[in-house]
Amino acid sequence: QVQLVESGGGLVQAGGSLRLSCAASGRTFSGYTMGWFRQAPGKEREFVAVISWGGGNKDYTDSVKGRFTISRDNAKNLVDLQMNSLKPEDTAVYYCAADLSHKYPPISRPKPTTAADFDSWGQGTQVTVSS
């Protein structure tokens, strides 16, 4: 199993930036697809970004494209989410997730973008963007 711990959340004004980090422990996560999700009060958990095991393939939900960047450092077991130009609607608890069901998936495999595709989750970190 992989344990995931998020950090870096906080309160920021609209237009500001935050960098979230997800530290993995328990076993190496270098062969697995990683993702970030978020959940606002009263709403379902939604996909934010995903990154392939090698880091070369990424995808984002439309609302964050051009503002958020996902990256990973397999040597350090870290996955980051750089969030720029934050908006009040970005306010949510952000979760890091790992797809442990597919190790070294081929590039041809569609990237997972739903919560059901991921097996391991962190506890979440709160991001609040004030207007």
Side-chain angles (χ1 to χ4, degrees), residues 4-7 36-37 93-96 121-127:
L4 304 173
V5 179
E6 303 95 336
S7 62
W36 282 95
F37 287 74
V93 177
Y94 282 71
Y95 297 90
C96 174
W121 295 83
Q123 83 290 346
T125 185
Q126 177 70 48
V127 171

Side-chain angles (χ1 to χ4, degrees), residues 4-68:
L4 304 173
V5 179
E6 303 95 336
S7 62
L11 173 64
V12 64
Q13 289 188 333
S17 298
L18 282 175
R19 188 176 185 90
L20 306 183
S21 288
C22 173
S25 63
R27 65 174 175 176
T28 181
F29 81 153
S30 61
Y32 303 104
T33 303
M34 300 293 295
W36 282 95
F37 287 74
R38 64 187 180 187
Q39 188 166 17
K43 294 188 177 181
E44 292 188 356
R45 191 168 298 189
E46 67 167 347
F47 165 76
V48 176
V50 63
I51 187 167
S52 61
W53 61 267
N57 289 284
K58 307 172 186 179
D59 199 8
Y60 303 88
T61 191
D62 286 346
S63 62
V64 309
K65 284 181 179 177
R67 301 189 298 123
F68 290 12

Side-chain angles (χ1 to χ4, degrees), residues 82-103:
Q82 177 67 42
M83 306 186 297
N84 299 328
S85 302
L86 283 162
K87 304 176 181 180
E89 51 263 43
D90 294 319
T91 295
V93 177
Y94 282 71
Y95 297 90
C96 174
D99 174 10
L100 303 180
S101 298
H102 303 87
K103 192 168 186 179

